[in-house]
Every structure is written in C-alpha cells, then in structure tokens.
Amino acid sequence: MKAVVARGYGGVEVLEVADVPVPLPGPGQIQVRIAAAGLSPADLRVVSGAFKEAVPLEFPHVLGSDFAGTVTAVGPAVERFSPGDEIFGLGQARAAAGMASLVSTPPSFTTGTVAEYAVFDADTPALALRPAGLSAEHAASLPIAALTALPLLRAGAFTLGMKALVIGAAGGVGGAVVPLLAAQGVHVIATALPADEGYVRGLGASETIDYRSADVAAETLSRHPGGIDALINLALPGPALPAVARVVRPGGRLLNIAFPAPAPATGFETVYTNARPGDLEEVAALVLKGVLPSTATRRYPLAEAVRAYRDLEHTHVRGKLLVTG
C-alpha cells in the first residue's frame, strides 16, 4: 500500500510517499481503509526528533493520527466494531506509549493514518462510529481539534456572558474552540489576520484583532478596560505568554495548549488532548446540530501528501489540511 513515511529524523525533506506492507490486525485490533486523514503539526514535531527521548521512532515511520474510514478486518476478541463500520477518531504511534494515557484511557495506538490502511486498538474512547450525517472529510478534521477543545472548555468552566481571548483562532484547534465557546454564550475575541476575519467570525467570534499590526494585549485592554475572563493560547510559545496574560482580570483563567508550554509559575494551565468515553459521540452530535462546522480548507490526494506537510510547515494555514484516499 501507499503511505507517507519518514526515513529518519528531520523536517519535511525526510518524508516520502512509499510502498509499505499493509498492516494486519492482531488481537483486540481493527484494520481500517482510510478515507481521509487530518494533518497535525504534532506529526512533524515527532518526526523532527523534538520528542526523541519520550517517543523513540522506528523507521520507516508512517505519519498521521486523525482519520475517518471503513473497518475492513477485525482481530480476535474485537466485539465493538465489525467489517463495514464507518468510524473516525485518532491514534498515536506505539512509540508514544509513555504519553498515550494523556490522550485516552485505554490508550489509542495506530500504525499511521496518512496511508491507504491503518490498524488501531479497538477498545479506546478515541474511536467512534461515524453517523450518516457526518461526512468522512468533516469527521477526519475533528478528533485532535475537538478532543483538545472539550478539555479546554471544561478547564475554563465557561458560562454565558464571559469574555475570552483566543490566540490562534484560525488554526485547526481554533476551529473547534471558537464555535464551542460561542455555543455557550461566551464573547470571543479572536486573533486573526485580516484575510481570516470572515472565517473566524463565521466560527462564532464576536471580535477580531490583527496580531501583526496591533499589540494584542494593549488592543484587548483598550476595548475591555476591566480585563477579560480567560485567555486561551493555541499558538504562542510559552515565553511569549506572560506579556499577554495581563489582559485577564484577577481570578480569570490562563489556558494553554501550545508547545513549548509556559512555566507553571506564569499561572498558565496547559491542557492536553484527551478523549473521555462518549466524547467523540458528543462531537458527532454537535456536528449534526450545526455547532461544529467543517474547517477543512485544503485537500490533497495521498500522492501529494508530502506537499501537504510542506504547506503545513511553511505556509499560513487556516483550519485543517486533509489527505484523502
């Protein structure tokens, strides 16, 4: 089968579309024909070697976590899924076993989703049946974004009328965070380029700030002199955050998902992608209710998936990039 593989540690230059053996399911596993895979910056960070100590890869390494597809075979002792089931979700490389419990319990492992076929451990809340009203492409854009957004909203305990500044609102996770906040009646101030203003307002943002032409903290305080209730950082590296934290009123929340994380002394709480039982089913229901729109903005065939990763790394990305089968 065809798959996007890394031949060693490095940047996009180590990636290629190659022929690799079709993975077969073992006990407790399922094989899936991948219809669409959502790309994540984390795919490239792992290949870069930034997490080499915690995630020692074996090469060739097949990339990809988010997916939607069709179950094609099941291993012994699998009762949850059957061949022909349409499913979606995410998995991590088995090399990431040390961090996998942060994502779901039991952990969710995969052979890599930017491929024609992938194998997953079946018994995990990070996989779910895809309802008929949710397209495969829409589903593939959701798992990491939505399973990061839900823990953020839980940590923030957001309620009607609160004000939140979302830094990096036009990115993949922002595509879930902004509409979920708006659905709870939160007044969302989003950082975005002028070209992305219509996009983030369509997600539910009430205001936007052009982060390239304005000091985000100063502009926020000029509009809201009493401060706001929460800062949600989806993009800035940790050292840049203390300067922005002054926008939050005393007792407000400082939430972060970006790497590298800020030091605990800054007051920021770093929130990780996490799947609780029923979370993906809730995500699918929110899509069917019209709360979570599709954020897939660019699509690439598998043969051009290396170009997709190059675009992810080197161009301004709005929403999610997908590789389709």
Side-chain angles (χ1 to χ4, degrees):
M1 70 169 187
K2 299 292 186 183
V4 173
V5 304
R7 292 296 183 184
Y9 289 112
V12 176
E13 72 279 356
V14 305
L15 305 184
E16 65 179 6
V17 178
D19 287 304
V20 298
V22 176
L24 301 176
Q29 297 180 329
I30 58 174
Q31 181 194 68
V32 176
R33 177 67 168 91
I34 303 297
L39 304 193
S40 168
D43 299 343
L44 295 175
R45 284 200 295 269
V46 168
V47 168
S48 76
F51 304 117
K52 190 184 298 186
E53 299 278 330
V55 188
L57 299 180
E58 294 184 3
F59 299 103
H61 166 72
V62 180
L63 280 72
S65 296
D66 281 2
F67 80 98
T70 306
V71 177
T72 45
V74 301
V78 173
E79 299 180 358
R80 186 180 175 202
F81 298 113
S82 302
D85 284 348
E86 299 292 340
I87 68 170
F88 73 113
L90 66 87
Q92 291 184 295
R94 198 162 292 276
M99 301 189 302
S101 61
L102 295 173
V103 175
S104 66
T105 304
S108 179
F109 294 116
T110 182
T111 53
T113 63
V114 188
E116 293 180 288
Y117 291 88
V119 161
F120 301 85
D121 291 334
D123 185 20
T124 166
L127 304 181
L129 292 170
R130 176 173 65 84
L134 173 58
S135 73
E137 289 190 1
H138 194 166
S141 72
L142 290 168
I144 287 177
L147 295 176
T148 306
L150 288 177
L152 278 169
L153 266 69
R154 290 168 183 149
F158 294 96
T159 56
L160 178 68
M162 292 178 70
K163 297 176 183 178
L165 172 64
V166 179
I167 296 177
V173 176
V177 169
V178 173
L180 289 177
L181 286 171
Q184 293 192 0
V186 175
H187 181 95
V188 177
I189 307 148
T191 68
L193 296 175
D196 295 330
E197 180 175 359
Y199 172 76
V200 296
R201 285 188 180 273
L203 294 175
S206 300
E207 304 178 41
T208 63
I209 297 175
D210 178 0
Y211 58 89
R212 286 189 180 171
S213 65
D215 180 294
V216 171
E219 180 64 19
T220 301
L221 290 173
S222 73
R223 300 182 191 184
H224 305 278
I228 60 172
D229 301 291
L231 168 60
I232 301 176
N233 177 53
L234 310 179
L236 289 178
L241 290 177
V244 191
R246 61 193 177 96
V247 303
V248 177
R249 61 169 179 76
R253 301 305 303 270
L254 298 168
L255 302 172
N256 170 70
I257 69 160
F259 174 84
T266 61
F268 277 88
E269 176 185 353
T270 295
V271 177
Y272 298 94
T273 304
N274 182 260
R276 294 181 181 179
D279 275 357
L280 276 180
E281 289 81 0
E282 178 184 351
V283 167
L286 288 167
V287 171
L288 299 182
K289 290 177 182 177
V291 174
L292 286 172
S294 175
T295 60
T297 55
R298 293 187 237 171
R299 297 162 179 81
Y300 305 76
L302 182 57
E304 297 181 18
V306 173
R307 179 167 67 87
Y309 275 113
R310 187 176 297 112
D311 289 349
L312 179 67
E313 184 172 43
H314 296 300
T315 70
H316 173 69
V317 174
R318 177 193 301 164
K320 293 288 289 187
L321 306 188
L322 297 183
V323 170
T324 56

